[in-house]
Every structure is written in C-alpha cells, then in structure tokens.
Amino acid sequence: MGFPSKPLFYILHLPPIFLFLLLLFSTNPTQSAPDYTSLVYKGCSKEAFQDPTGLYSQALSALFGTLVQQSTKSKFFKTTTGTGQTTITGLFQCRGDLSIGDCYKCVSGLPVLTDKMCGKAIAARVQLFGCYILYEVAGFTQVSGMEMLFKTCGRSTAAGSGFEERRDTALSVLANGVASGHGFFTTSYQSMYVLGQCEGDIGDSDCGECAKSAVQRAQVECGNAISGQIYLHKCFISYSYYPNGVPRRSSSSYGNEGN
C-alpha cells in the first residue's frame, strides 16, 4: 500500500499472510442474517509497536479520528498520519449498498473494537458485515491483493436442480459486473443473490481480476454450499441461494446467511 521498501520492522520466520491468518477470528454463523455491524473476522499482526513516548498511540488515535470523521461523507477513505517511523497508513470502506448514515454507524464503532481486539499490533484489519478498517505502520511487509484472508461457507448444501449452473452463471455475472460497476455490484439471478466489492483505490481492471480470483475460490472452497463469502485482501464476494426466490428486504442484510 505504498510503504517504503526498506522495512522498519523485521518479521521473522513466518510469511506475511500468516500474521493475519494466525489470529483470525470469526463469529459463528446463525440462522438469522446479522446486521451490518456484526463481526466477520479480525486479523492482527503478531508484532506490537514499542511506544515509550506515546507517539504511535497519538498517530493511531489521530488516524482513527480522521477515518470516522470521513465516514460521515464518504464510503471509502485512505490517509496517513504521523511522521518518520511513526507513520501509519489506514483506510476504511463501507459496503456500497449502505447509506452514508449507516456507513458512519458501522465505522464509528471500529476504533474501539480494533483496539480491544488487536491492542498495539503494528497492523490490523477488522471486518464487519457492512464495513472494515485497516491500518499498517510504515514498513509493514505487504501481502498480495489476491491473498485470501477469510472464507465462510453455508452449512446447508444444494444438489441437483441446476444449482451449480445457476451459481456459476451468477458468479460470472458478478465478476464482470463489479469491474464495470467501478468496484461494487449486486444482482439476483434465478434464486441466486450475489454481491461483490473491491477496495476503493484499485482500478477497474485489477478489481475484475480480484473478483474473478474470489469467484474461483468460492467455487472450490464452498462447493455445493448454498451460501458463501470470500474475502481477499483487495476484494470480497458473497452469494446466497434462495430456492423459493430472493426475498424482499433491506439490502444491508443480503449476503450474510450462514445456512
């Protein structure tokens, strides 16, 4: 994400993605669809910053304050605070189908939640159903935008009745739509509801490639599960199958099923 190439923190023994995956946490899926402030997962670096002067804490607090403030008028914002070794880059993003008001409500709780879950980690990401927040101290080793951070597949499965064909067609439409939709796309197709979003600072071409990679992961990882969510570093997708037709309800609850 644009950090200096010479790391200020040396991370030994483990590949960078393990820093996120080792402490991955997810809520247990429930029968009812969680709201947009429900926790999906957290990823915290194993390395904590040393802060005898409080400069890191001040920079992180300033970053969080800016991100929350910006969520009152935007669904994506990326910025940097601090100087030198205390430089911290962070961003938030809300799901494209949330209102600005709901975006703010989602983001405003993330600083406290991130501090509670990750403490003084030099990098952290906390993902809710409706939004996420991410920060990295200068020099943190980067992960690929295609790396899978988290997945969840529904407990129920579908067999026959053309389910696989419907799912694959819907996901193909999604992969193309999220690129042409400039980073966000949602639609329903023959009892399938699909949703996809890319990080707000990547181009349409990279977004499309990320979405296609996520679709392939969903097909392999979730098989015949009637719902699934795949979170890559730079994008995520979800799909849900409703045998009786996609229900009418608020958009913020779509794609959250764990059945």
Side-chain angles (χ1 to χ4, degrees), residues 114-134:
T114 303
D115 180 67
K116 178 181 179 181
M117 291 185 164
C118 296
K120 293 184 177 181
I122 65 171
R125 177 173 179 147
V126 176
Q127 176 83 51
L128 307 183
F129 275 116
C131 64
Y132 71 90
I133 201 166
L134 164 70

Side-chain angles (χ1 to χ4, degrees), residues 71-121:
S71 71
T72 64
K73 50 190 175 184
S74 176
K75 296 181 184 180
F76 173 81
F77 188 76
K78 182 177 180 179
T79 190
T80 299
T81 59
T83 58
Q85 295 186 6
T86 62
T87 299
I88 304 177
T89 295
L91 63 85
F92 78 85
Q93 183 164 24
C94 290
R95 225 167 63 182
D97 55 350
L98 291 190
S99 68
I100 287 295
D102 285 342
C103 179
Y104 168 73
K105 291 176 184 176
C106 190
V107 174
S108 62
L110 281 171
V112 171
L113 188 61
T114 303
D115 180 67
K116 178 181 179 181
M117 291 185 164
C118 296
K120 293 184 177 181

